[in-house]
PDB file of all heavy atoms in Angstrom:
ATOM      1  N   GLU K 615      -8.340   7.727  11.700  1.00 91.00           N
ATOM      2  CA  GLU K 615      -9.550   7.029  12.007  1.00 91.00           C
ATOM      3  C   GLU K 615      -9.184   5.736  12.779  1.00 91.00           C
ATOM      4  O   GLU K 615      -8.170   5.073  12.567  1.00 91.00           O
ATOM      5  CB  GLU K 615     -10.320   6.523  10.706  1.00 91.00           C
ATOM      6  CG  GLU K 615     -10.837   7.739   9.859  1.00 91.00           C
ATOM      7  CD  GLU K 615     -11.473   7.139   8.579  1.00 91.00           C
ATOM      8  OE1 GLU K 615     -11.414   5.917   8.233  1.00 91.00           O
ATOM      9  OE2 GLU K 615     -12.185   7.919   7.952  1.00 91.00           O
ATOM     10  N   VAL K 616     -10.093   5.325  13.701  1.00 94.00           N
ATOM     11  CA  VAL K 616      -9.982   4.045  14.373  1.00 94.00           C
ATOM     12  C   VAL K 616     -11.309   3.403  14.506  1.00 94.00           C
ATOM     13  O   VAL K 616     -12.333   4.123  14.338  1.00 94.00           O
ATOM     14  CB  VAL K 616      -9.406   4.288  15.867  1.00 94.00           C
ATOM     15  CG1 VAL K 616      -7.947   4.752  15.800  1.00 94.00           C
ATOM     16  CG2 VAL K 616     -10.211   5.223  16.620  1.00 94.00           C
ATOM     17  N   PRO K 617     -11.370   2.129  14.624  1.00 95.00           N
ATOM     18  CA  PRO K 617     -12.664   1.493  14.842  1.00 95.00           C
ATOM     19  C   PRO K 617     -13.355   1.777  16.057  1.00 95.00           C
ATOM     20  O   PRO K 617     -12.673   1.773  17.174  1.00 95.00           O
ATOM     21  CB  PRO K 617     -12.278  -0.015  14.730  1.00 95.00           C
ATOM     22  CG  PRO K 617     -10.904  -0.090  14.186  1.00 95.00           C
ATOM     23  CD  PRO K 617     -10.245   1.111  14.630  1.00 95.00           C
ATOM     24  N   CYS K 618     -14.580   2.102  15.999  1.00 96.00           N
ATOM     25  CA  CYS K 618     -15.376   2.455  17.106  1.00 96.00           C
ATOM     26  C   CYS K 618     -16.667   1.551  17.126  1.00 96.00           C
ATOM     27  O   CYS K 618     -17.323   1.458  16.115  1.00 96.00           O
ATOM     28  CB  CYS K 618     -15.843   3.862  17.167  1.00 96.00           C
ATOM     29  SG  CYS K 618     -16.977   4.391  18.528  1.00 96.00           S
ATOM     30  N   ALA K 619     -16.909   0.696  18.156  1.00 96.00           N
ATOM     31  CA  ALA K 619     -17.957  -0.304  18.124  1.00 96.00           C
ATOM     32  C   ALA K 619     -19.098   0.164  19.091  1.00 96.00           C
ATOM     33  O   ALA K 619     -18.852   0.582  20.159  1.00 96.00           O
ATOM     34  CB  ALA K 619     -17.453  -1.681  18.532  1.00 96.00           C
ATOM     35  N   PHE K 620     -20.355   0.008  18.518  1.00 97.00           N
ATOM     36  CA  PHE K 620     -21.524   0.117  19.230  1.00 97.00           C
ATOM     37  C   PHE K 620     -22.124  -1.188  19.432  1.00 97.00           C
ATOM     38  O   PHE K 620     -22.325  -1.959  18.525  1.00 97.00           O
ATOM     39  CB  PHE K 620     -22.563   1.115  18.659  1.00 97.00           C
ATOM     40  CG  PHE K 620     -21.986   2.539  18.582  1.00 97.00           C
ATOM     41  CD1 PHE K 620     -21.160   2.966  17.539  1.00 97.00           C
ATOM     42  CD2 PHE K 620     -22.354   3.395  19.568  1.00 97.00           C
ATOM     43  CE1 PHE K 620     -20.696   4.284  17.518  1.00 97.00           C
ATOM     44  CE2 PHE K 620     -21.885   4.723  19.570  1.00 97.00           C
ATOM     45  CZ  PHE K 620     -21.057   5.115  18.505  1.00 97.00           C
ATOM     46  N   VAL K 621     -22.519  -1.557  20.739  1.00 96.00           N
ATOM     47  CA  VAL K 621     -22.917  -2.933  20.969  1.00 96.00           C
ATOM     48  C   VAL K 621     -24.118  -3.010  21.796  1.00 96.00           C
ATOM     49  O   VAL K 621     -24.340  -2.207  22.864  1.00 96.00           O
ATOM     50  CB  VAL K 621     -21.695  -3.678  21.746  1.00 96.00           C
ATOM     51  CG1 VAL K 621     -22.245  -5.056  22.263  1.00 96.00           C
ATOM     52  CG2 VAL K 621     -20.559  -3.941  20.844  1.00 96.00           C
ATOM     53  N   GLU K 622     -25.070  -3.784  21.444  1.00 91.00           N
ATOM     54  CA  GLU K 622     -26.242  -4.098  22.289  1.00 91.00           C
ATOM     55  C   GLU K 622     -26.050  -5.550  22.936  1.00 91.00           C
ATOM     56  O   GLU K 622     -25.633  -6.434  22.138  1.00 91.00           O
ATOM     57  CB  GLU K 622     -27.531  -4.190  21.465  1.00 91.00           C
ATOM     58  CG  GLU K 622     -28.118  -2.736  21.095  1.00 91.00           C
ATOM     59  CD  GLU K 622     -29.452  -2.903  20.462  1.00 91.00           C
ATOM     60  OE1 GLU K 622     -30.111  -3.882  20.565  1.00 91.00           O
ATOM     61  OE2 GLU K 622     -29.803  -1.877  19.683  1.00 91.00           O
ATOM     62  N   LEU K 623     -26.364  -5.662  24.213  1.00 93.00           N
ATOM     63  CA  LEU K 623     -26.163  -6.960  24.853  1.00 93.00           C
ATOM     64  C   LEU K 623     -27.420  -7.734  24.861  1.00 93.00           C
ATOM     65  O   LEU K 623     -28.586  -7.162  24.851  1.00 93.00           O
ATOM     66  CB  LEU K 623     -25.622  -6.744  26.268  1.00 93.00           C
ATOM     67  CG  LEU K 623     -24.323  -6.048  26.365  1.00 93.00           C
ATOM     68  CD1 LEU K 623     -23.952  -5.878  27.904  1.00 93.00           C
ATOM     69  CD2 LEU K 623     -23.155  -6.733  25.711  1.00 93.00           C
ATOM     70  N   LYS K 624     -27.344  -9.061  24.875  1.00 86.00           N
ATOM     71  CA  LYS K 624     -28.518  -9.924  25.036  1.00 86.00           C
ATOM     72  C   LYS K 624     -29.142  -9.760  26.434  1.00 86.00           C
ATOM     73  O   LYS K 624     -28.433  -9.353  27.452  1.00 86.00           O
ATOM     74  CB  LYS K 624     -28.088 -11.362  24.840  1.00 86.00           C
ATOM     75  CG  LYS K 624     -27.552 -11.700  23.559  1.00 86.00           C
ATOM     76  CD  LYS K 624     -26.999 -13.111  23.482  1.00 86.00           C
ATOM     77  CE  LYS K 624     -26.451 -13.407  22.105  1.00 86.00           C
ATOM     78  NZ  LYS K 624     -25.813 -14.771  22.023  1.00 86.00           N
ATOM     79  N   ASN K 625     -30.426  -9.907  26.577  1.00 83.00           N
ATOM     80  CA  ASN K 625     -31.129  -9.805  27.825  1.00 83.00           C
ATOM     81  C   ASN K 625     -30.538 -10.797  28.858  1.00 83.00           C
ATOM     82  O   ASN K 625     -30.360 -11.962  28.549  1.00 83.00           O
ATOM     83  CB  ASN K 625     -32.647 -10.106  27.671  1.00 83.00           C
ATOM     84  CG  ASN K 625     -33.307  -9.045  26.959  1.00 83.00           C
ATOM     85  OD1 ASN K 625     -32.970  -7.876  27.000  1.00 83.00           O
ATOM     86  ND2 ASN K 625     -34.400  -9.345  26.289  1.00 83.00           N
ATOM     87  N   GLY K 626     -30.231 -10.281  30.021  1.00 87.00           N
ATOM     88  CA  GLY K 626     -29.721 -11.104  31.095  1.00 87.00           C
ATOM     89  C   GLY K 626     -28.143 -11.353  31.034  1.00 87.00           C
ATOM     90  O   GLY K 626     -27.538 -11.912  31.885  1.00 87.00           O
ATOM     91  N   GLN K 627     -27.553 -10.755  29.920  1.00 90.00           N
ATOM     92  CA  GLN K 627     -26.047 -10.921  29.799  1.00 90.00           C
ATOM     93  C   GLN K 627     -25.348  -9.678  30.205  1.00 90.00           C
ATOM     94  O   GLN K 627     -25.942  -8.513  30.041  1.00 90.00           O
ATOM     95  CB  GLN K 627     -25.678 -11.195  28.330  1.00 90.00           C
ATOM     96  CG  GLN K 627     -26.283 -12.584  27.815  1.00 90.00           C
ATOM     97  CD  GLN K 627     -25.470 -13.733  28.404  1.00 90.00           C
ATOM     98  OE1 GLN K 627     -24.325 -13.592  28.785  1.00 90.00           O
ATOM     99  NE2 GLN K 627     -26.159 -14.870  28.457  1.00 90.00           N
ATOM    100  N   THR K 628     -24.186  -9.784  30.689  1.00 93.00           N
ATOM    101  CA  THR K 628     -23.393  -8.655  31.028  1.00 93.00           C
ATOM    102  C   THR K 628     -21.985  -8.715  30.368  1.00 93.00           C
ATOM    103  O   THR K 628     -21.472  -9.778  30.210  1.00 93.00           O
ATOM    104  CB  THR K 628     -23.217  -8.503  32.566  1.00 93.00           C
ATOM    105  OG1 THR K 628     -22.522  -9.662  32.994  1.00 93.00           O
ATOM    106  CG2 THR K 628     -24.532  -8.343  33.264  1.00 93.00           C
ATOM    107  N   ALA K 629     -21.438  -7.590  30.109  1.00 95.00           N
ATOM    108  CA  ALA K 629     -20.094  -7.498  29.588  1.00 95.00           C
ATOM    109  C   ALA K 629     -19.624  -6.001  29.541  1.00 95.00           C
ATOM    110  O   ALA K 629     -20.450  -5.090  29.304  1.00 95.00           O
ATOM    111  CB  ALA K 629     -19.954  -8.046  28.113  1.00 95.00           C
ATOM    112  N   THR K 630     -18.382  -5.773  29.907  1.00 95.00           N
ATOM    113  CA  THR K 630     -17.893  -4.446  29.961  1.00 95.00           C
ATOM    114  C   THR K 630     -17.132  -4.112  28.602  1.00 95.00           C
ATOM    115  O   THR K 630     -16.726  -5.072  27.913  1.00 95.00           O
ATOM    116  CB  THR K 630     -17.000  -4.242  31.078  1.00 95.00           C
ATOM    117  OG1 THR K 630     -15.772  -5.109  30.861  1.00 95.00           O
ATOM    118  CG2 THR K 630     -17.564  -4.554  32.415  1.00 95.00           C
TER     119      THR K 630
END
Side-chain angles (χ1 to χ4, degrees):
E615 292 178 350
V616 293
C618 176
F620 293 86
V621 171
E622 282 186 25
L623 299 179
K624 297 175 183 175
N625 288 334
Q627 295 287 336
T628 59
T630 66

